[in-house]
Amino acid sequence: MRAGSMQLPRPRYAGIALAVVLVLIAAAAFLWTHRVPSLPYDSADGDYASDCCGAITLRDGSLYADDTRLAGYVILRDARGPYLLPDRFIGTLNTGIETAGNRPPRPLRLDTLPRPNRILFPDADGASLFRRRMPRPH
């Protein structure tokens, strides 16, 4: 290998490359620090029932009705408190729960964490309330 065959990058291009790398690192750091972390999804696990719409079960990040998985979810918190955000639209009807993949998901409000006692499903008439069902003693 000849000594003259190895060329160093020109100072101008080296400076541009360094600037690009620094901008990418800064952008990654910004996105990392401003991400919205999910709360543990099992903190809301349990069975819930409403007077209008039947019963649901939250288990390991999935929402079930009549043993049918309707949606996955994450639990987040904002200025109004904790909420469950399903991966698809979940709504209530007089006859039960509806899902729709063509509508945006809506937050389902939790009264507290961990172990919420109430979940509010927003609907056209205001909101449907689901209360935690307590296990019956044997």
Side-chain angles (χ1 to χ4, degrees):
M1 180 183 248
R2 295 185 318 180
S5 67
M6 198 154 113
Q7 295 182 359
L8 295 174
R10 294 182 192 167
R12 178 176 158 206
Y13 295 123
I16 292 173
L18 179 61
V20 168
V21 168
L22 290 176
V23 166
L24 290 174
I25 290 172
F30 177 81
L31 292 174
W32 177 260
T33 58
H34 289 84
R35 65 185 165 81
V36 178
S38 174
L39 299 169
Y41 52 74
D42 62 348
S43 60
D45 281 2
D47 297 317
Y48 300 83
S50 75
D51 293 335
C52 72
C53 316
I56 60 168
T57 298
L58 301 179
R59 185 174 59 243
D60 299 326
S62 293
L63 187 148
Y64 297 86
D66 298 325
D67 293 325
T68 301
R69 184 181 185 277
L70 300 180
Y73 64 84
V74 294
I75 297 178
L76 302 168
R77 185 183 303 272
D78 63 10
R80 293 178 52 202
Y83 64 94
L84 184 146
L85 185 63
D87 58 13
R88 65 181 49 98
F89 175 86
I90 303 288
T92 56
L93 300 169
N94 290 338
T95 57
I97 305 291
E98 70 169 330
T99 63
N102 61 347
R103 294 172 64 186
R106 296 183 298 183
L108 309 177
R109 291 286 166 188
L110 307 173
D111 64 339
T112 187
L113 275 180
R115 230 176 123 62
N117 291 311
R118 293 183 300 275
I119 302 173
L120 277 176
F121 279 66
D123 58 31
D125 299 327
S128 298
L129 178 64
F130 284 75
R131 296 179 188 272
R132 181 180 289 275
R133 291 194 298 192
M134 298 299 161
R136 292 184 178 173
H138 296 283

